[in-house]
C-alpha cells in the first residue's frame, strides 16, 4: 500500500478559518511596521552606502565585539556595526561597517590630516576619502587593541546605494505586473488580483519577520525576496489550476465548498514540495557558510509563509473577490444532461 501524507478524501475546512488567518497576517504586518517605526529598518551596506572592513586579529590579541564598538564610537565613526565573522570563538575575525566620520571627532581630524598630506604629495583625490577612513580606523585599532590583518574592504557610495534601492523596488513592481498579466492570460482576469495579493502578502510577512528579528536588508535579501515571489506564485498557481478544473466540473456546487475541495486535493503536493524545499534550504543554512546564511534564512521564512498563504490566504482571497466583484460564488443552474458528471 503506497504511503500517503494526506489520505484521499480528506476534507479540512480551510476556508472556514480564513478570518482567523486574516487577523494573524494583518497582525504580523502591523507588528513589523511598529518595529520598523521604533527601531528603524536595518539597511545593509548595499543600500545605505558606507564602508565595510573585515579584520583578522593576530593570535593572542584580546578583542571582542564590545571593545571594537566602544573604540569605533569613541573615535567618531557613525552608523557603525560590528559583528564576529567566524563561528569559531578562537578565531578573532570581525566585520566592521560604518557610514561616515562625525564632524569634529578625532577620526575626522585624522582623515583631514592624511588627505591634506596625500594631496600635498600630488596623489589623486579620487577614492581618497574612503581609503583614508579605513586607514584611520585600522590605525586606531592597531594602537589601542592590537595587530591584525586586513581581509577585505568594500565601499559603496550613497548614490550607488540609492540606485540599488530603486532598482530593487522596481524589480519587485515589474515582477508583480508580469504575474498579473501571466495569471490573467493563463487563467482569467478574475484570478489575477488574488494571485498578486497572495504573493505580495508573502513578501510583506517575510519582510515584517526580518524587521522584527533585526535582519540586515542587502542584495542577498532582495535576491531571496524575488525567489520567494516565484516560489509562492508557483504554489498558488497549482491550487488555482485545480480550482479552475473543479469549477468547470462542479458548476452546481457552492464556490466555498469547491475551493475547500481543491485545497484538500492539492494538500499532499503542497506539503511534499514545501518539506523537500525546506530540507534543501536547511542544508544551505547550516552548511553553506555565513555568506549564504542571510539568503537561506530569508528563503526558509518565505517558504513557510508561502505554504501557509497558499493554503489559508490565496483561496480565501479568490472567494472574497468572487463574492465582492463576481457572481457571489452562487451555484450555476444545470444547462442540460451530461454537464456535471462528477460529484463533489
Amino acid at each position: 500500500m503506497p504511503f500517503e501524507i494526506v489520505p484521499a478524501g480528506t476534507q479540512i475546512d480551510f476556508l472556514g478559518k480564513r478570518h482567523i488567518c486574516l487577523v494573524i497576517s494583518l497582525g504580523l504586518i502591523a507588528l513589523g511596521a511598529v518595529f520598523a517605526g521604533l527601531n528603524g529598518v536595518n539597511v545593509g551596506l548595499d543600500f545605505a552606502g558606507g564602508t565595510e572592513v573585515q579584520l583578522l586579529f593576530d593570535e593572542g590579541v584580546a578583542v571582542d565585539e564590545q571593545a571594537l564598538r566602544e573604540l569605533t564610537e569613541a573615535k567618531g565613526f557613525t552608523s557603525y556595526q560590528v559583528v564576529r565573522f567566524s563561528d569559531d570563538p578562537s578565531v578573532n575575525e570581525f566585520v566592521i561597517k560604518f557610514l561616515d566620520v562625525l564632524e569634529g571627532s578625532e577620526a575626522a581630524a585624522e582623515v583631514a590630516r592624511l588627505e591634506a598630506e596625500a594631496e600635498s604629495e600630488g596623489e589623486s583625490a579620487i577614492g581618497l576619502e574612503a581609503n583614508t577612513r579605513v586607514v584611520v580606523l585600522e590605525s586606531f585599532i592597531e594602537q589601542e587593541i592590537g595587530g591584525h590583518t586586513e581581509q577585505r574592504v568594500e565601499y559603496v557610495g550613497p548614490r550607488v546605494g540609492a540606485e540599488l534601492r530603486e532598482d530593487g523596488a522596481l524589480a519587485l513592481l515589474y515582477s508583480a505586473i508580469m504575474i498579473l498579466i501571466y495569471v490573467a492570460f493563463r487563467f482569467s482576469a478574475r484570478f489575477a488580483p488574488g494571485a498578486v495579493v497572495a504573493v505580495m502578502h508573502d513578501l510583506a510577512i517575510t519582510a515584517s519577520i526580518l524587521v522584527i528579528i533585526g535582519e540586515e536588508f542587502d542584495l542577498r535579501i532582495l535576491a531571496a525576496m524575488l525567489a520567494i515571489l516565484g516560489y509562492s506564485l508557483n504554489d498558488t498557481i497549482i491550487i488555482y489550476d485545480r480550482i479552475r478544473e473543479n469549477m468547470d466540473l462542479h458548476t452546481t456546487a457552492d464556490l466555498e465548498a469547491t475551493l475547500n475541495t481543491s485545497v484538500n486535493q492539492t494538500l499532499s503536493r503542497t506539503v511534499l514540495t514545501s518539506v523537500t524545499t525546506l530540507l534543501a534550504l536547511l542544508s544551505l543554512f547550516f552548511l553553506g557558510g555565513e555568506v549564504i546564511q542571510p539568503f537561506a534564512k530569508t528563503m526558509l521564512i518565505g517558504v513557510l509563509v508561502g505554504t501557509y498563504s497558499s493554503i489559508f490566504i490565496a483561496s480565501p482571497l479568490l472567494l472574497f473577490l468572487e463574492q465582492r466583484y463576481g457572481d457571489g460564488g452562487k451555484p450555476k443552474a444545470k444547462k442540460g444532461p451530461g454537464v456535471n458528471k462528477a460529484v463533489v
Side-chain angles (χ1 to χ4, degrees):
M1 185 176 183
F3 173 73
E4 291 181 306
I5 292 183
V6 180
T10 299
Q11 280 294 335
I12 302 172
D13 183 18
F14 294 110
L15 273 292
K17 299 171 180 59
R18 61 183 181 274
H19 299 297
I20 298 173
C21 295
L22 179 65
V23 170
I24 292 173
S25 295
L26 292 177
L28 275 172
I29 293 171
L31 192 61
V34 169
F35 268 78
L38 293 177
N39 303 326
V41 178
N42 187 8
V43 181
L45 184 72
D46 297 331
F47 297 134
T51 305
E52 182 175 302
V53 187
Q54 183 178 332
L55 301 177
L56 173 63
F57 284 86
D58 300 340
E59 283 189 29
V61 174
V63 60
D64 57 18
E65 292 99 321
Q66 187 60 31
L68 287 170
R69 288 192 189 104
E70 288 176 358
L71 181 144
T72 309
E73 182 179 15
K75 298 301 180 185
F77 291 88
T78 62
S79 302
Y80 63 87
Q81 295 176 27
V82 179
V83 292
R84 180 179 283 276
F85 188 74
S86 174
D87 288 332
D88 185 352
S90 65
V91 178
N92 283 329
E93 191 167 11
F94 299 89
V95 172
I96 304 171
K97 302 177 185 178
F98 61 91
L99 182 62
D100 206 339
V101 291
L102 191 65
E103 191 175 346
S105 65
E106 188 177 349
E110 189 65 8
V111 167
R113 186 186 68 78
L114 290 179
E115 286 176 0
E117 190 176 289
E119 288 181 7
S120 67
E121 294 175 0
E123 293 186 11
S124 170
I126 298 175
L128 184 63
E129 191 179 9
N131 291 333
T132 307
R133 289 170 184 164
V134 174
V135 170
V136 168
L137 175 65
E138 292 192 24
S139 173
F140 285 138
I141 292 174
E142 179 83 28
Q143 292 169 15
E144 301 197 13
I145 293 181
H148 58 269
T149 305
E150 181 185 285
Q151 303 293 300
R152 176 172 58 93
V153 175
E154 292 182 13
Y155 172 74
V156 177
R159 184 173 178 180
V160 175
E163 287 177 357
L164 287 173
R165 283 201 304 273
E166 184 179 344
D167 290 345
L170 286 176
L172 291 174
L173 176 64
Y174 293 151
S175 300
I177 293 172
M178 294 308 293
I179 289 169
L180 200 68
I181 295 171
Y182 168 74
V183 176
F185 175 76
R186 176 72 173 78
F187 295 94
S188 74
R190 68 186 190 183
F191 280 70
V196 172
V197 173
V199 295
M200 290 298 113
H201 159 276
D202 295 350
L203 295 182
I205 295 282
T206 304
S208 294
I209 294 174
L210 292 176
V211 169
I212 292 168
I213 64 176
E215 187 68 30
E216 182 180 281
F217 282 76
D218 57 16
L219 286 178
R220 293 170 294 183
I221 301 297
L222 176 62
M225 287 286 193
L226 290 170
I228 291 167
L229 195 147
Y231 178 87
S232 176
L233 176 65
N234 180 59
D235 236 16
T236 303
I237 290 294
I238 296 293
I239 293 177
Y240 275 13
D241 197 40
R242 183 58 60 91
I243 290 172
R244 186 183 59 170
E245 289 176 6
N246 285 335
M247 287 175 74
D248 289 341
L249 285 171
H250 312 303
T251 53
T252 60
D254 177 70
L255 179 59
E256 183 172 338
T258 303
L259 296 178
N260 254 329
T261 300
S262 303
V263 175
N264 278 284
Q265 287 174 344
T266 54
L267 190 59
S268 181
R269 179 263 173 206
T270 301
V271 172
L272 274 174
T273 304
S274 299
V275 169
T276 50
T277 307
L278 287 172
L279 288 175
L281 290 171
L282 285 171
S283 300
L284 272 179
F285 182 78
F286 287 111
L287 306 175
E290 296 192 18
V291 174
I292 203 71
Q293 273 186 355
F295 176 85
K297 185 192 295 180
T298 307
M299 283 295 297
L300 281 168
I301 297 170
V303 168
L304 288 171
V305 174
T307 304
Y308 154 77
S309 77
S310 63
I311 295 172
F312 293 103
I313 299 296
S315 299
L317 270 174
L318 182 60
L319 179 64
F320 168 76
L321 292 171
E322 283 293 306
Q323 290 175 336
R324 184 73 175 80
Y325 302 106
D327 57 8
K330 295 175 182 175
K332 297 176 182 176
K334 288 184 178 181
K335 295 179 180 179
V339 173
N340 302 306
K341 295 177 182 177
V343 176
V344 178

